[in-house]
């Protein structure tokens, strides 16, 4: 569904040249959930922005369902870290979720069903007429997730979506993502700096090297498909996988300090 081939990205501005992505080749099958981790500043956000068609690439290509990405593809939805800036404060929750559906030119009754369904799925039916600033951070992020799901994307990209919420809310949101992912079978690329979160959510975890980044490892997460915050995280295998990813990231960081 998502194919990234020899993707390269260099930021060029007068007097400054930053090679952010060395070369990334990666594919995500239909309905797969892949997590991406890597040291801070390695190029995770850059990767996501290139995949979303929000940044021009310097080389290589991205394809969604066989079609080459040259601008934001209509079949893709993105959830960013900063929920506070991703919702329109003058619109109600319902209007925020409905906006992209209007742009998609869906008929009113279909829009109404999708909005109601996605707000129900994230447990926010009662907040439909509230404004974002009347909600907690975790609730705002759930609105952003509802908006992405209502859009019925083929591919969902998430860039550290839970970095700014407390631990309990984060665990709830992780489970929400797993539930939505299972019921809607959305192809998902999930960027996080949290190793535990990557191992808990991902069916694969891609470890990136430090900048200019490349894929250091593409690791299959051989944990039972059914995940649960307490049981899954206390499995010995969970500890092994987390230890392995942790060491890989340490290695990646060591390399950058050597240079
Ligand atoms: N607009 C930009 N112009 C120039 N350089 C940039 C720009 N955006 C990012 N960079 C550089 O590209 C590299 C990768 O940045 P990026 O934000 O993609 O990393 P990241 O892995 O998302 O970091 P973090 O873990 O802190 O979110 C960094 O060296 C950064 O300084
Ligand atoms: Mg980032």
């Amino acid at each position: 569904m998502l194919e990234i081939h020899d993707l390269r990205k260099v930021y060029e501005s007068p007097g400054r040249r930053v090679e952010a992505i060395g070369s990334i080749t990666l594919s995500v099958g239909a309905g797969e959930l892949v997590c991406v981790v890597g040291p801070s500043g390695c190029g995770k956000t850059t990767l996501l922005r290139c995949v979303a068609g929000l940044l021009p690439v310097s080389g290589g290509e991205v394809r969604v369902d066989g079609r080459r990405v040259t601008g934001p593809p209509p079949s893709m939805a993105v959830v960013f870290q900063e929920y506070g800036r991703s919702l329109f404060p003058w619109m109600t929750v319902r209007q925020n979720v409905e906006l992209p559906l209007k742009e998609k030119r869906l008929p009113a009754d279909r829009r109404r069903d999708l909005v109601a369904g996605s707000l129900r799925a994230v447990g926010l039916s009662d907040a439909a007429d509230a404004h974002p600033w009347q909600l907690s951070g975790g609730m705002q992020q759930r609105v952003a997730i509802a908006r992405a799901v209502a859009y019925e994307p083929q591919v969902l990209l998430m860039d550290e979506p839970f970095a700014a919420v407390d631990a309990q809310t984060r665990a709830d949101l992780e489970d929400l993502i797993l539930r939505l992912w299972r019921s809607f079978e959305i192809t998902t690329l999930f960027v996080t700096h949290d190793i535990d979160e990557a191992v808990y959510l991902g069916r694969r975890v891609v470890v990136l090297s430090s900048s200019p980044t490349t894929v250091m490892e593409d690791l299959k997460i051989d944990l039972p498909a059914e995940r649960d915050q307490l049981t899954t995280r206390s499995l010995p295998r969970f500890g092994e996988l987390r230890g392995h990813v942790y060491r890989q990231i340490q290695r990646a960081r060591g390399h950058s300090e050597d240079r």
Side-chain angles (χ1 to χ4, degrees), residues 195 199 202 205 219-223 227 235-248:
I195 298 168
V199 173
V205 170
L219 181 71
K220 184 173 169 6
I221 301 298
D222 52 2
L223 292 169
R227 311 250 166 122
L235 292 172
R237 184 65 185 147
F238 185 88
E240 286 167 23
L241 288 164
R242 175 232 261 151
H244 178 81
V245 174
Y246 181 84
R247 282 188 297 275
Q248 286 289 68

Side-chain angles (χ1 to χ4, degrees), residues 40-46 81 159-160 191:
S40 179
C42 76
K44 301 181 293 294
T45 297
T46 303
Q81 174 178 346
D159 189 7
E160 307 211 20
V191 166

Side-chain angles (χ1 to χ4, degrees), residues 6 31 35 58 79-80 84 91 95 135 167 175 186 190 215 231 250:
D6 191 22
C35 289
S58 309
V79 176
F80 294 104
M91 289 184 177
Q95 288 165 339
L135 307 177
D175 288 332
I186 308 173
F190 190 105
V215 174
T231 339
Q250 286 298 95

